[in-house]
Short mmCIF file of all heavy atoms in Angstrom, two decimals:
data_model
loop_
_atom_site.label_atom_id
_atom_site.label_comp_id
_atom_site.label_asym_id
_atom_site.label_seq_id
_atom_site.Cartn_x
_atom_site.Cartn_y
_atom_site.Cartn_z
N PRO A 27 -60.08 -6.77 -29.89
CA PRO A 27 -60.80 -5.66 -29.24
C PRO A 27 -61.97 -6.09 -28.37
O PRO A 27 -62.43 -5.31 -27.54
CB PRO A 27 -61.27 -4.81 -30.42
CG PRO A 27 -61.25 -5.70 -31.61
CD PRO A 27 -60.19 -6.72 -31.35
N GLU A 28 -62.44 -7.32 -28.53
CA GLU A 28 -63.59 -7.78 -27.74
C GLU A 28 -63.19 -8.18 -26.32
O GLU A 28 -64.03 -8.27 -25.43
CB GLU A 28 -64.28 -8.96 -28.43
CG GLU A 28 -63.52 -10.28 -28.37
CD GLU A 28 -62.31 -10.37 -29.30
OE1 GLU A 28 -62.12 -9.49 -30.16
OE2 GLU A 28 -61.52 -11.31 -29.14
N GLN A 29 -61.90 -8.40 -26.06
CA GLN A 29 -61.49 -8.86 -24.74
C GLN A 29 -61.49 -7.71 -23.74
O GLN A 29 -61.38 -6.55 -24.10
CB GLN A 29 -60.11 -9.53 -24.79
CG GLN A 29 -58.93 -8.58 -24.73
CD GLN A 29 -57.63 -9.30 -24.53
OE1 GLN A 29 -57.57 -10.30 -23.83
NE2 GLN A 29 -56.59 -8.81 -25.16
N ARG A 30 -61.63 -8.06 -22.47
CA ARG A 30 -61.59 -7.06 -21.41
C ARG A 30 -60.15 -6.55 -21.29
O ARG A 30 -59.20 -7.33 -21.37
CB ARG A 30 -62.02 -7.67 -20.09
CG ARG A 30 -63.45 -8.15 -20.10
CD ARG A 30 -63.72 -8.93 -18.87
NE ARG A 30 -64.71 -8.21 -18.08
CZ ARG A 30 -65.13 -8.60 -16.90
NH1 ARG A 30 -64.64 -9.68 -16.36
NH2 ARG A 30 -66.04 -7.91 -16.27
N ILE A 31 -60.02 -5.26 -21.05
CA ILE A 31 -58.68 -4.66 -20.99
C ILE A 31 -57.85 -5.26 -19.86
O ILE A 31 -56.63 -5.41 -19.97
CB ILE A 31 -58.76 -3.13 -20.89
CG1 ILE A 31 -57.42 -2.51 -21.23
CG2 ILE A 31 -59.25 -2.68 -19.52
CD1 ILE A 31 -57.48 -1.03 -21.51
N GLY A 32 -58.49 -5.68 -18.78
CA GLY A 32 -57.78 -6.29 -17.67
C GLY A 32 -57.22 -7.66 -17.98
O GLY A 32 -56.41 -8.20 -17.23
N ARG A 33 -57.64 -8.25 -19.06
CA ARG A 33 -57.16 -9.58 -19.47
C ARG A 33 -55.93 -9.49 -20.38
O ARG A 33 -55.34 -10.51 -20.70
CB ARG A 33 -58.26 -10.35 -20.21
CG ARG A 33 -59.43 -10.69 -19.33
CD ARG A 33 -59.09 -11.90 -18.55
NE ARG A 33 -60.23 -12.28 -17.74
CZ ARG A 33 -60.10 -12.83 -16.56
NH1 ARG A 33 -58.92 -13.07 -16.07
NH2 ARG A 33 -61.15 -13.15 -15.86
N ALA A 34 -55.58 -8.30 -20.81
CA ALA A 34 -54.43 -8.15 -21.71
C ALA A 34 -53.15 -8.54 -20.98
O ALA A 34 -52.95 -8.19 -19.81
CB ALA A 34 -54.33 -6.71 -22.21
N ASP A 35 -52.28 -9.26 -21.66
CA ASP A 35 -51.02 -9.70 -21.07
C ASP A 35 -49.96 -8.62 -21.30
O ASP A 35 -49.57 -8.35 -22.43
CB ASP A 35 -50.58 -11.02 -21.72
CG ASP A 35 -49.36 -11.61 -21.04
OD1 ASP A 35 -48.96 -11.08 -19.98
OD2 ASP A 35 -48.82 -12.60 -21.56
N LEU A 36 -49.51 -8.01 -20.23
CA LEU A 36 -48.55 -6.91 -20.33
C LEU A 36 -47.11 -7.36 -20.12
O LEU A 36 -46.19 -6.58 -20.34
CB LEU A 36 -48.89 -5.82 -19.31
CG LEU A 36 -50.29 -5.22 -19.40
CD1 LEU A 36 -50.45 -4.14 -18.35
CD2 LEU A 36 -50.57 -4.68 -20.76
N LEU A 37 -46.92 -8.59 -19.68
CA LEU A 37 -45.58 -9.05 -19.34
C LEU A 37 -44.84 -9.60 -20.56
O LEU A 37 -45.44 -10.26 -21.40
CB LEU A 37 -45.65 -10.12 -18.26
CG LEU A 37 -46.27 -9.68 -16.93
CD1 LEU A 37 -46.33 -10.84 -15.98
CD2 LEU A 37 -45.51 -8.52 -16.33
N ALA A 38 -43.55 -9.32 -20.62
CA ALA A 38 -42.70 -9.85 -21.70
C ALA A 38 -42.34 -11.30 -21.38
O ALA A 38 -42.54 -11.78 -20.27
CB ALA A 38 -41.44 -9.01 -21.83
N ASP A 39 -41.80 -11.98 -22.38
CA ASP A 39 -41.36 -13.36 -22.18
C ASP A 39 -40.39 -13.42 -21.00
O ASP A 39 -39.46 -12.64 -20.89
CB ASP A 39 -40.66 -13.88 -23.44
CG ASP A 39 -41.62 -14.00 -24.62
OD1 ASP A 39 -42.84 -14.07 -24.38
OD2 ASP A 39 -41.14 -14.01 -25.77
N GLY A 40 -40.61 -14.32 -20.11
CA GLY A 40 -39.72 -14.50 -18.98
C GLY A 40 -40.10 -13.67 -17.76
O GLY A 40 -39.71 -14.01 -16.64
N GLU A 41 -40.82 -12.56 -17.94
CA GLU A 41 -41.17 -11.72 -16.79
C GLU A 41 -42.11 -12.44 -15.82
O GLU A 41 -41.96 -12.33 -14.61
CB GLU A 41 -41.80 -10.41 -17.24
CG GLU A 41 -40.82 -9.42 -17.80
CD GLU A 41 -41.48 -8.11 -18.21
OE1 GLU A 41 -42.63 -8.12 -18.71
OE2 GLU A 41 -40.83 -7.07 -18.04
N ARG A 42 -43.08 -13.15 -16.36
CA ARG A 42 -44.04 -13.85 -15.49
C ARG A 42 -43.31 -14.89 -14.64
O ARG A 42 -43.52 -15.00 -13.45
CB ARG A 42 -45.14 -14.50 -16.32
CG ARG A 42 -46.13 -15.27 -15.45
CD ARG A 42 -47.39 -15.68 -16.19
NE ARG A 42 -48.28 -14.54 -16.27
CZ ARG A 42 -48.44 -13.78 -17.36
NH1 ARG A 42 -47.80 -14.05 -18.45
NH2 ARG A 42 -49.25 -12.75 -17.35
N ALA A 43 -42.44 -15.66 -15.28
CA ALA A 43 -41.69 -16.68 -14.54
C ALA A 43 -40.82 -16.04 -13.47
O ALA A 43 -40.71 -16.54 -12.35
CB ALA A 43 -40.84 -17.51 -15.50
N ALA A 44 -40.20 -14.91 -13.80
CA ALA A 44 -39.35 -14.22 -12.82
C ALA A 44 -40.19 -13.70 -11.65
O ALA A 44 -39.77 -13.77 -10.50
CB ALA A 44 -38.60 -13.07 -13.49
N LEU A 45 -41.38 -13.18 -11.94
CA LEU A 45 -42.24 -12.67 -10.88
C LEU A 45 -42.78 -13.79 -10.00
O LEU A 45 -42.87 -13.65 -8.78
CB LEU A 45 -43.42 -11.89 -11.48
CG LEU A 45 -43.09 -10.52 -12.05
CD1 LEU A 45 -44.30 -9.94 -12.77
CD2 LEU A 45 -42.65 -9.58 -10.95
N LEU A 46 -43.14 -14.90 -10.62
CA LEU A 46 -43.70 -16.00 -9.85
C LEU A 46 -42.63 -16.78 -9.11
O LEU A 46 -42.91 -17.46 -8.13
CB LEU A 46 -44.49 -16.94 -10.77
CG LEU A 46 -45.77 -16.33 -11.36
CD1 LEU A 46 -46.39 -17.29 -12.35
CD2 LEU A 46 -46.75 -15.97 -10.26
N GLY A 47 -41.39 -16.69 -9.57
CA GLY A 47 -40.29 -17.37 -8.91
C GLY A 47 -40.53 -18.85 -8.72
O GLY A 47 -40.22 -19.41 -7.68
N GLY A 48 -41.11 -19.49 -9.71
CA GLY A 48 -41.37 -20.91 -9.64
C GLY A 48 -42.69 -21.27 -9.01
O GLY A 48 -43.05 -22.43 -8.93
N HIS A 49 -43.45 -20.29 -8.55
CA HIS A 49 -44.76 -20.58 -7.96
C HIS A 49 -45.79 -20.78 -9.07
O HIS A 49 -45.62 -20.33 -10.19
CB HIS A 49 -45.22 -19.42 -7.06
CG HIS A 49 -44.31 -19.20 -5.91
ND1 HIS A 49 -44.26 -20.06 -4.83
CD2 HIS A 49 -43.40 -18.23 -5.66
CE1 HIS A 49 -43.37 -19.62 -3.97
NE2 HIS A 49 -42.82 -18.51 -4.45
N ARG A 50 -46.88 -21.45 -8.71
CA ARG A 50 -47.97 -21.65 -9.67
C ARG A 50 -48.64 -20.32 -9.97
O ARG A 50 -48.77 -19.47 -9.09
CB ARG A 50 -49.03 -22.58 -9.08
CG ARG A 50 -48.60 -23.99 -8.89
CD ARG A 50 -49.76 -24.88 -8.45
NE ARG A 50 -50.93 -24.19 -7.97
CZ ARG A 50 -51.34 -24.18 -6.72
NH1 ARG A 50 -50.67 -24.82 -5.80
NH2 ARG A 50 -52.43 -23.54 -6.37
#
């Protein structure tokens, strides 16, 4: 609860990699 709400990770496993498409 101490973390900023904007820092919460909303993506499921694999979604970040799919969105980044291999980019950093």
